[in-house]
Amino acid sequence: MNEQDLIRELAKLLDETKLTEIEVEREGLRVRIARQSVTHVLAGGGIAAPGLSMPAPAAIVPAPVLDHAQHPGVVTSPMVGTAYRASEPTAKPFVDIGSVVKAGDTLLIIEAMKTMNQIPAPRAGTVTQILFEDGNPVEYGEPLMIVE
């Protein structure tokens, strides 16, 4: 399937499913298609009314090759287990992108052998990236977050 066919298929899928955004990466090629929501402000009343959603133009961007493990602010997993962003499913995450943390603040927990292990921030800074999916397994040494 060539790039144009892929874009057409993704745009069609976006329309059929009423999704607002879809992104696919295949063999180093990343394609992201998103709907752009337009908001109109009515004169006099100051009331905003959502307009028609139109697909934004597709962008083809080669996937950047980043080695997060080499980043100076990387926080790696100290163990094998399941990583969670919050203490329980309905709780607020310990941190989000943009959160300012102090050294020792809890960033996440890793469940290993039925034990919940709090993973502290090794340094003070701002969380700029979260590199794991909540509730997914992680390996020893796997990059989990970037704190700059």
Side-chain angles (χ1 to χ4, degrees):
M1 177 180 290
N2 67 32
E3 294 171 1
Q4 290 179 346
D5 291 339
L6 177 60
I7 293 168
R8 283 189 183 102
E9 285 296 314
L10 291 174
K12 182 180 175 184
L13 182 62
L14 197 68
D15 286 337
E16 290 173 356
T17 59
K18 304 294 185 220
L19 292 171
T20 57
E21 183 176 320
I22 189 167
E23 183 173 345
V24 175
E25 184 174 348
R26 230 187 264 168
E27 299 169 8
L29 173 71
R30 180 178 290 173
V31 178
R32 178 178 169 267
I33 298 179
R35 269 184 211 282
Q36 200 169 23
S37 181
V38 180
T39 303
H40 299 282
V41 178
L42 302 177
I47 301 170
L52 297 174
S53 294
M54 300 183 66
I60 298 176
V61 180
V65 180
L66 297 175
D67 186 7
H68 295 293
Q70 301 303 317
H71 193 285
V74 70
V75 177
T76 58
S77 177
M79 65 190 74
V80 174
T82 303
Y84 298 99
R85 294 188 56 207
S87 59
E88 57 185 53
T90 58
K92 181 179 171 235
F94 293 110
V95 295
D96 287 308
I97 293 175
S99 295
V100 176
V101 296
K102 298 181 301 234
D105 285 355
T106 301
L107 298 175
L108 65 138
I109 55 175
I110 297 178
E111 178 185 6
M113 299 177 61
K114 303 292 182 198
T115 302
M116 297 297 188
N117 301 281
Q118 295 182 357
I119 308 304
R123 69 191 66 75
T126 302
V127 177
T128 59
Q129 293 182 44
I130 298 174
L131 306 170
F132 70 97
E133 292 292 324
D134 190 45
N136 282 351
V138 294
E139 296 291 326
Y140 173 80
E142 181 178 334
L144 301 173
M145 290 187 186
I146 304 291
V147 177
E148 294 182 340

